[in-house]
Amino acid sequence: MSHDEDTCKLMSIEAKAAIQEVSFAVQSVSISEQLPRSDELVYLNLKTKEEQLYCVELSVKGFRVVGRQFDTTSDGADNPYFETIYALLDTVSPEYRLSFGEALVCKLAELQGTVEEEPSEDAK
């Protein structure tokens, strides 16, 4: 496999990972089937819990909003890049922040339950 194929594959892997990581906190997110993909960028179509539509560019520079509709890239020239999809969502979606906080609380409660279920050394 060539370096270009590796890079393109890595962009797709990064996009798929981002989709998995934030799918709990948005209405929908997917890789654009309409816009071109390359070894340098992939586009995501994202619908927030507030029902706002975004086309998000993922490149080696990071994530940035490039459109206010799916499969559009007309609004992105001056928009900032974010290092993570989390940082971008934190900026555009207040409901994401709530969902993230709730997921964190649930995970901590789950971990606490696991710790309490394990027998202590004293009980053995």
Side-chain angles (χ1 to χ4, degrees):
M1 191 176 294
S2 72
H3 174 66
D4 287 345
E5 289 172 332
D6 284 344
T7 305
C8 186
K9 188 175 180 180
L10 287 174
M11 275 300 168
S12 291
I13 290 169
E14 178 74 19
K16 288 175 184 173
I19 289 168
Q20 283 185 319
E21 291 171 7
V22 300
S23 61
F24 74 94
V26 297
Q27 280 194 15
S28 67
V29 59
S30 62
I31 294 174
S32 173
E33 297 296 330
Q34 304 297 314
L35 297 173
R37 293 181 226 177
S38 74
D39 57 339
E40 296 181 2
L41 62 96
V42 173
Y43 294 98
L44 302 175
N45 289 322
L46 186 140
K47 184 176 185 181
T48 66
K49 289 196 173 193
E50 296 87 358
E51 300 190 12
Q52 297 298 307
L53 302 180
Y54 295 99
C55 185
V56 176
E57 173 190 297
L58 168 58
S59 70
V60 293
K61 295 179 181 180
F63 295 85
R64 75 172 173 163
V65 173
V66 293
R68 302 287 178 177
Q69 295 290 323
F70 289 172
D71 302 314
T72 60
T73 60
S74 58
D75 300 335
D78 296 326
N79 290 343
Y81 284 97
F82 295 89
E83 191 171 321
T84 66
I85 189 79
Y86 305 116
L88 184 147
L89 281 170
D90 194 52
T91 301
V92 300
S93 176
E95 286 290 324
Y96 162 77
R97 280 182 246 133
L98 290 173
S99 295
F100 184 83
E102 289 169 1
L104 184 59
V105 167
C106 288
K107 188 66 175 173
L108 290 172
E110 182 181 303
L111 290 172
Q112 181 65 31
T114 303
V115 170
E116 289 174 358
E117 290 173 10
E118 292 178 3
S120 67
E121 289 296 318
D122 297 336
K124 291 182 180 178

